[in-house]
Structures are given as C-alpha cells and as structure tokens.
Amino acid sequence: MYRVCLPLLLLLIPTMATGHGQDAAQQTARQALQQGHYVPLENIVRDALQRHPGKLLEVELEDGVYEVEILRADGVVVELDYDARSGALLKTELDD
C-alpha cells in the first residue's frame, strides 16, 4: 500500500468537484496541472519506478517539487525529487 498526499490525489481524480473541502494549496495544484504548468503525476511515477523498481510508498507535491518514495526489493528506500514543471529529476537519495 502507498500513500499519496491529498493534493496529488485530487490531481488524479479530475471528476471530483472543485472548491468543496479543498484548501488553497489543493486548488493551486489542481489548476497548475489542468493548465499544463505541471507534468502529470503518472509520468513522474512511471519514470521513478523505471529508475528504481519497487513498491511506491509515497508521493508529495511541495513547492513545485514532486517527492516520490519507493521501497526497493533490497530494502532500500529511495526518494526522488522531480521538478513539477519540467519533469526533470532533481535529486535522488537512498535511505537504508
């Protein structure tokens, strides 16, 4: 099982009504994706899992950066940071 933070979950569910129960950060994230300012999350997750196959643990969007955590088969947790606008990989960290 993996955890996707609420703003990202809302990006993945385009049929969900906007404005009801969402805070400003959620609305901003949804709007950025809809306007093409952010790369779709599915592209980011696909790239991260190709680089480090394993179990997707968590995805967050913070300050224009997608943070993806993956648990590899060898037990190492990998955190990959991607620029939300370009989809470029910014950083990779390994945590034993």
Side-chain angles (χ1 to χ4, degrees), residues 14-88:
T15 58
M16 186 176 282
T18 60
H20 299 291
Q22 293 181 17
D23 64 19
Q26 293 166 345
Q27 290 179 12
T28 300
R30 175 186 287 268
Q31 187 176 36
L33 180 67
Q34 290 173 341
Q35 293 176 350
H37 298 296
Y38 284 174
V39 173
L41 177 60
E42 64 190 39
N43 297 0
I44 300 298
V45 170
R46 183 181 316 113
D47 183 77
L49 288 170
Q50 285 176 347
R51 292 173 187 270
H52 296 277
K55 181 178 177 182
L56 183 64
L57 296 177
E58 182 176 13
V59 179
E60 293 180 344
L61 175 60
E62 188 173 316
D63 298 325
V65 175
Y66 286 116
E67 299 173 359
V68 180
E69 286 187 13
I70 298 171
L71 174 62
R72 297 189 322 200
D74 62 2
V76 173
V77 175
V78 181
E79 181 179 315
L80 301 104
D81 291 354
Y82 289 86
D83 182 287
R85 288 170 177 51
S86 69

